[in-house]
Structure formats: structure tokens, C-alpha cells
Amino acid sequence: MASRPRSSRPRSHRLLGSRPRRALLAALVTASVAVPVSGAARPADVPAPVPVRLAPLTAAAPAVLGAALDSRYAANRTGIRAAERMAARHGDRRRAASLHTMADAGRHFLSFDGRDGGRTAEVFGDLADAERIAVLVPGSDTGLDHYERFRTGAMVLQRELGDGAAVIAWLGYKTPGTVSPEALTPGRAHDAVPQLRDFLGELSVARPTARTTLLCHSYGSAVCALAAPGLRAVGIALHGIVLYGSPGTGVDSVGDLRTTAAVWAGRGADDWIAGVPHARLQLPFTTLGFGTDPLSKEFGARIFDAGAGGHSDYLRPGSVSLRNLARIVSGETPTGRTPPGPVGQLPPEDGRHA
């Protein structure tokens, strides 16, 4: 009997069999029903002032760059205090209290915009003199009203990395709610791409010799994957892209990232995200799902041991995942038991740049 001809549909569409299609559609219906309830519980958008336009950072000696950073931190501190006053006038005491804490003199924000849920980039460590830089890209439900967990993870990672390293908690996009239709589509990730590219471009200019790694959690892994192809064209250098707790990235394989940075993937043994269908369905006005599992052989990432933790445990002090994320940022090979998959040493130094 003649063999069945191979489908001519795009690979991303062939990924979706009947069972994952039903699971994805059920998830969309569930989210659509749940979102009015979750939306009612979320604080309404709080007004905030338009941020002052700041001069871009430029390459300079550490002392000169340090002075420029101090000036920027001070300017953003002023902006945070203005947002605090506006939130207080609006009657949102919770937001005002959060902003009051963020305006502390010991906090260092490269950027701040309090509008529409909030956009920030907070620095931990001495960025002017850092040899290793980790940029954290968060997943869903991260904003000014749910910021402390994200900030805590960044601080824990910086302590694990030690001297000579800086961590930047980049909240540069409007994240979707965990229980919402937006969390099932790459729309918010596509919207975030220009912001992440612009941020990495400025960072690359200011710290061109630093070893920079993107650490992308959950929905943030789609943000990083969709941004990656455009980085090389504008001269942005990355040493690594790490996808952890990922539902999928919106692309089929590492090759689609068009990067020579080392691409790693990991998932904790107790992470519920493993139950998300790894499929993609093209609907008339959107794409539902994120496609290939980043831990699968066909995706082609290097796999690291993320330990036994759950979806919010990757940066927990003392965890296997924290230790291995720090090793990747430092250019070292992760340790521990590694799940089946393509694992290996980092590429040679001349092959680590995007």
C-alpha cells in the first residue's frame, strides 16, 4: 500500500492533534469564564505620571558609568515618589505603600513607569563594574502590585552569583494574568519584544564586555524567544538564553531563535506547567498555545537539572535550580542529575554571542 503523503501544512499547525486541540480549547474556555472573576479581584489601573525622558547610557570607564547610573537611579527615585503621591490621591493605599518602599535610597532602578500596571528595571549588585550580568524576564501576574516575589528572586540570585555579578529584574512589559485568555496566546509576548530589544541594546552599549545572560521564566520564555532573532542584527551580544518553567516559546526549535548564544532549558519535577499541552492552534484572530516543549529533543536546547521544586521555586535559596542557573550565568556547566535530552558543554567563547 502506498505511503500516506506528508502534510503540506506548516509544521506548527501539524503539531496539534485532536487531543491537545481539545485540551487547549478547554483551557481557553476555562480562562474566558474565570477572567471576569479574577479581573474583579485585581486592582484597577492606578494613574501615574509620564516618566521623564532620560539620556541613554553610553560606554564609559566604570567610575564614569557609575556616576551616570547614580544619576539615573536618582531620577527614577523622583519618578517613583511622584507616582506614590498620585496613587495616594487616587485612594490606592496599597499601591502607594509599595511605591514608598520602592523609593528607598538603597533601591536602584534603571527605568520606572508606574502606568498601566507598571514597568521597571531594578538593579542588584554593581552594574558599572559587573563582569557577569543576568537579566530576569518574568512570567504572568508580575506587576507593581505583585512585585516582591520577583524582586526577592533577583536578590537571591545576585547573592548566589557573588562579587563581580549584577542581576537586573526587568519588568518591561504588561504581563498576562495567570488565569486569563492572554496567558494562552503569545500576544503579550509579541508586544514586549521591542521593549526587551531596546533595553538589551542600551545595556550592550553600556557594558559591552560583560557576560550577559537572559533568564526567562514561564510566559517570559516566549518573550525571550520571540525577541532573540532580532538581537544579532542590531549587534546585541548574549552569552546565554535560559528558558525555565516554560509552557513553550512560540517557536519550534532553537534554530528559530537564530542565535549562537547557548540556549538552556529546565523544569522542576513538581512544576504544574509540565501539564500544559505543548501544541499550537492558529485561530482567525490569534494563535492559541506555544508549541514545542523546550525540554524536548526536537527543540534542541541544552537541558539542566532544575531539581524537585514547583513553578515558583526556581530561585529559592539553596535549591538545585538556583545553583545551576548561577552556574550558567557564570559560564560553568550545570551539575546534578540531568533529564534526558541534548546536554553538553557551553560552546567555545567565540560562539557565545548573539
Side-chain angles (χ1 to χ4, degrees):
M1 184 174 67
S3 61
R4 180 181 297 177
R6 187 176 179 86
S7 171
S8 60
R9 289 182 298 163
R11 181 169 176 268
S12 61
H13 292 233
R14 297 199 309 270
L15 285 172
L16 205 54
S18 60
R19 182 174 296 176
R21 178 186 286 112
R22 288 195 298 270
L24 274 174
L25 290 175
L28 180 60
V29 170
T30 300
S32 298
V33 171
V35 72
V37 177
S38 63
R42 290 166 65 95
D45 287 338
V46 181
V50 176
V52 175
R53 188 174 183 87
L54 303 173
L57 297 174
T58 58
V64 177
L65 178 59
L69 288 170
D70 287 343
S71 177
R72 177 171 285 205
Y73 298 154
N76 284 316
R77 194 172 300 120
T78 299
I80 294 170
R81 288 172 177 154
E84 176 193 350
R85 292 191 295 271
M86 191 172 286
R89 289 195 298 270
H90 182 70
D92 194 316
R93 296 180 180 179
R94 179 182 177 186
R95 174 68 64 85
S98 296
L99 293 169
H100 183 78
T101 301
M102 295 174 76
D104 185 270
R107 304 279 292 268
H108 300 142
F109 286 91
L110 276 175
S111 63
F112 174 81
D113 185 344
R115 299 171 299 173
D116 195 25
R119 311 285 190 276
T120 68
E122 186 171 8
V123 177
F124 303 87
D126 184 359
L127 182 59
D129 209 29
E131 299 172 352
R132 295 159 291 149
I133 300 172
V135 178
L136 297 180
V137 179
S140 59
D141 277 331
T142 308
L144 294 184
D145 294 318
H146 302 86
Y147 181 73
E148 281 306 304
R149 185 173 63 189
F150 184 43
R151 177 177 185 263
T152 297
M155 290 192 296
V156 170
L157 178 60
Q158 200 282 324
R159 286 197 295 267
E160 183 76 14
L161 288 166
D163 294 340
V167 175
I168 302 173
W170 183 81
L171 174 56
Y173 75 110
K174 185 175 184 178
T175 66
T178 299
V179 184
S180 70
E182 289 83 5
L184 301 175
T185 75
R188 293 281 176 89
H190 281 291
D191 292 344
V193 165
Q195 285 75 31
L196 182 56
R197 287 178 178 168
D198 288 348
F199 175 79
L200 292 174
E202 184 178 25
L203 183 63
S204 180
V205 169
R207 299 293 291 116
T209 62
R211 176 189 183 88
T212 301
T213 304
L214 275 179
L215 301 185
C216 316
H217 178 236
S218 193
Y219 189 91
S221 63
V223 175
C224 293
L226 295 174
L231 299 180
R232 190 176 185 182
V234 293
I236 297 173
L238 290 177
H239 286 73
I241 299 173
V242 188
L243 314 169
Y244 57 103
S246 174
T249 64
V251 303
D252 292 329
S253 70
V254 167
D256 294 327
L257 303 183
R258 299 203 296 275
T259 180
T260 52
V263 179
W264 294 88
R267 183 164 58 230
D270 197 34
D271 190 340
W272 60 263
I273 206 77
V276 172
H278 293 289
R280 194 157 61 244
L281 175 63
Q282 187 66 51
L283 299 176
F285 300 105
T286 190
T287 299
L288 181 63
F290 297 93
T292 311
D293 183 353
L295 271 71
S296 67
K297 184 176 181 180
E298 64 177 325
F299 189 80
R302 301 169 185 271
I303 309 302
F304 71 93
D305 183 1
H311 194 63
S312 300
D313 297 333
Y314 291 94
L315 298 176
R316 181 168 49 83
S319 64
V320 171
S321 53
L322 174 66
R323 181 188 68 218
N324 280 336
L325 287 169
R327 290 183 68 88
I328 292 171
V329 171
S330 298
E332 301 170 2
T333 302
T335 61
R337 297 183 62 184
T338 304
V343 65
Q345 302 291 323
L346 288 171
E349 181 66 32
D350 61 358
R352 289 181 184 158
H353 295 281

